[in-house]
């Protein structure tokens, strides 16, 4: 079945380390998004991309960067991880125009110690 | 930009009772309002949505209502069952670019 896959599922890293979270999809969607989830704060948008040459900042992009390597791949990097970046990270995809909402990946639980 | 508020943050109901979750949004340009259910340890899944040209939509035990004038929309779950226990998120589109989510409601259905 067409899906959205995130790797790794869980990761513990040390403060100051660089880490990359990866997302790939087989849904054929053009749009890809990165959100972080924190208890009581819901899902907040980090970055989004409408195609390989299009990258847009979201609400909370500071401390993060992204790369859209192909239509199907969208990676999120933490250049120098800090403890308050400990969160659950979700990748999502959608058709153009947000016609039918998002399909979320399975999530990456990141802990920065 | 768009801002979405959601209430209550937690909700406990007896099995068989109804549950209502309410959301408000700030930008009258928003046109599409999906609801997601997230079970423990799983990804959010779309359960129902509504567009601005519709006032109500039903799908079996769940329904969503939209009041564009007041800029609020609500999720209604009837005859609740234990498997309805989850976190529910409302969302509003942000000029068709992305979704802004509410902070979530943790629903517990007590047997």
């Amino acid at each position: 079945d067409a899906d959205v896959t995130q790797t790794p599922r869980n990761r513990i890293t040390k403060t100051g380390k660089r880490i990359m979270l990866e997302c790939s999809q087989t849904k054929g969607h053009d749009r890809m998004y990165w959100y972080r989830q924190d208890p009581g704060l819901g899902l907040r948008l980090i970055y989004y991309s409408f195609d390989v040459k299009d990258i847009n900042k979201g609400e909370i992009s500071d401390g993060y960067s992204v790369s859209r390597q192909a239509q199907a791949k969208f990676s999120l990097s933490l250049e120098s991880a800090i403890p308050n970046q400990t969160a659950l990270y979700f990748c999502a995809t959608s058709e153009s125009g947000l016609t039918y909402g998002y399909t979320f990946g399975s999530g990456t639980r990141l802990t920065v110690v | 930009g768009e801002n979405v508020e959601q209430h209550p943050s937690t909700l406990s109901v007896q099995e068989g009772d109804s549950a209502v979750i309410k959301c408000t949004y700030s930008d009258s340009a928003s046109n599409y309002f999906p609801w997601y259910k997230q079970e423990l340890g799983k990804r959010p899944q779309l359960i129902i949505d509504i567009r601005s040209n519709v006032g109500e939509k039903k799908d079996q035990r769940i329904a969503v209502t939209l009041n564009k004038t007041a800029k609020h929309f609500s999720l209604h779950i009837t005859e609740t069952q234990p498997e309805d226990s989850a976190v529910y998120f409302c969302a509003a589109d942000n000029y068709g670019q992305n979704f802004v989510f509410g902070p979530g409601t943790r629903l517990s259905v007590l047997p």
Side-chain angles (χ1 to χ4, degrees), chain A residues 27-67:
Chain A
K27 298 204 59 87
H29 288 166
D30 290 327
R31 299 185 176 190
M32 298 187 75
Y33 307 81
W34 277 103
Y35 282 82
R36 66 176 279 176
Q37 183 178 10
D38 300 278
L41 295 178
L43 294 146
R44 292 181 293 164
L45 182 63
I46 306 172
Y47 272 97
Y48 61 106
S49 168
F50 288 173
D51 65 41
V52 174
K53 296 180 181 179
D54 177 77
I55 300 290
N56 303 282
K57 291 184 177 181
E59 177 188 359
I60 53 165
S61 60
D62 287 349
Y64 302 95
S65 63
V66 291
S67 173

Side-chain angles (χ1 to χ4, degrees), chain A residues 3-4 9 31 33 35 37 40-43 45 48 50 88 90 97-102 104-106, chain B residues 32 34 36 38 41-46 49 51 87 89 93-94 96-104:
Chain A
D3 204 0
V4 183
R9 292 296 305 274
R31 299 185 176 190
Y33 307 81
Y35 282 82
Q37 183 178 10
L41 295 178
L43 294 146
L45 182 63
Y48 61 106
F50 288 173
L88 183 57
F90 283 103
L98 292 179
T99 312
Y100 298 108
Y102 288 163
F104 282 94
S106 49
Chain B
Y32 177 55
Y36 289 84
Q38 185 181 27
K42 298 195 175 178
R43 71 186 82 184
Q45 300 265 18
L46 179 68
D49 56 17
R51 300 181 194 279
V87 178
F89 293 100
D93 81 278
N94 184 26
Q97 304 260 314
N98 50 67
F99 287 117
V100 176
F101 288 85

